[in-house]
Amino acid sequence: GQSLEQPSEVTAVEGAIVQINCTYQTSGFYGLSWYQQHDGGAPTFLSYNALDGLEETGRFSSFLSRSDSYGYLLLQELQMKDSASYFCAVNSGGYQKVTFGTGTKLQVIP
Amino acid sequence: EAGVAQSPRYKIIEKRQSVAFWCNPISGHATLYWYQQILGQGPKLLIQFQNNGVVDDSQLPKDRFSAERLKGVDSTLKIQPAKLEDSAVYLCASSLAARGGEQYFGPGTRLTVT
């Protein structure tokens, strides 16, 4: 089966940088995704890493190390609107079944 | 481009009653997913369709849950009979293909079973 671990809560100051880590165990790994979900909203896609290394999209970056079964999401220049839950998710298996982690609740404080 | 549509947005039923949810994915998206998200947890995949065929339903409680995707477009998820523990948000998502990671989610249906 698949399992993912990420911190349950993180607090950071507006304007700062925060890193949310994700470790996973799975067979047939294809890639690691990150999603953002505001309270009462639906998850929205942030990034996808299939290969080792860093992917940058504006203020958000995502990193993957396949050999370490580890990835992280880096959020720079934090804004209050970044307060949300962040989920890592693995794509695995023949049809790339997606398994979500339990989520990290990020609170940005002034 | 229209997003993923779901209805109803909210539903309250009593235990042992039945309920159905509807999803219309983004046009042209071959892969459709139904997730169950309990408050404070990550979305849990219930069933994944590729066109109108099921490719994964390993976590679908088949004694009470059923889903279909007719003509490879719209999909319905049914619960019969409902239990208290089915109270959750039911999310539908679609993607262009199973590969690539990017899924587009609908607004979800919040189900309360009393």
Side-chain angles (χ1 to χ4, degrees):
Chain A
Q2 295 84 16
S3 70
L4 298 95
E5 285 191 22
Q6 50 181 131
S8 58
E9 293 181 357
V10 172
T11 301
V13 177
E14 189 177 15
I17 299 173
V18 71
Q19 178 174 314
I20 299 173
N21 298 320
C22 174
T23 57
Y24 60 87
Q25 286 187 319
T26 187
S27 55
F29 176 84
Y30 276 94
L32 186 72
S33 304
W34 288 93
Y35 286 80
Q36 178 193 61
Q37 186 177 33
H38 287 100
D39 285 348
T44 56
F45 174 81
L46 294 176
S47 67
Y48 177 72
N49 295 66
L51 303 175
D52 286 356
L54 191 68
E55 297 275 346
E56 297 181 62
T57 308
R59 295 188 296 115
F60 294 1
S61 303
S62 58
F63 172 83
L64 175 66
S65 169
R66 295 173 68 110
S67 59
D68 294 325
S69 297
Y70 163 77
Y72 66 72
L73 180 69
L74 191 73
L75 295 83
Q76 303 181 73
E77 300 172 17
L78 280 172
Q79 301 176 8
M80 299 300 291
K81 67 179 182 180
D82 296 330
S83 293
S85 291
Y86 292 83
F87 295 92
C88 59
V90 293
N91 287 50
S92 61
Y95 282 94
Q96 295 208 24
K97 172 182 176 177
V98 178
T99 302
F100 281 78
T102 52
T104 299
K105 192 170 181 67
L106 170 65
Q107 182 181 15
V108 180
I109 57 176
Chain B
E1 177 182 85
V4 176
Q6 288 188 249
S7 67
R9 293 294 311 277
Y10 305 90
K11 190 74 177 179
I12 301 174
I13 62 172
E14 295 182 352
K15 59 183 179 183
R16 291 188 290 274
Q17 286 187 324
S18 63
V19 64
F21 312 127
W22 173 81
C23 172
N24 181 238
I26 292 173
S27 177
H29 280 196
T31 310
L32 185 146
Y33 313 79
W34 281 103
Y35 291 90
Q36 178 193 61
Q37 187 173 26
I38 292 171
L39 189 64
Q41 299 182 18
K44 170 187 161 186
L45 180 69
L46 294 176
I47 190 166
Q48 178 179 340
F49 292 93
Q50 183 74 17
N51 296 308
N52 60 343
V54 176
V55 298
D56 191 294
D57 62 358
S58 56
Q59 299 190 97
L60 186 74
K62 299 180 186 64
D63 58 335
R64 298 185 301 107
F65 286 64
S66 64
E68 61 180 4
R69 187 182 186 195
L70 299 177
K71 299 180 182 178
V73 183
D74 292 9
S75 177
T76 56
L77 176 70
K78 297 179 182 177
I79 308 174
Q80 182 181 15
K83 293 185 175 181
L84 295 176
E85 59 260 37
D86 298 332
S87 293
V89 175
Y90 291 84
L91 294 161
C92 178
S94 69
S95 63
L96 200 54
R99 291 169 174 75
E102 184 167 3
Q103 297 182 27
Y104 297 83
F105 283 81
T109 297
R110 184 175 298 275
L111 173 68
T112 302
V113 182
T114 63

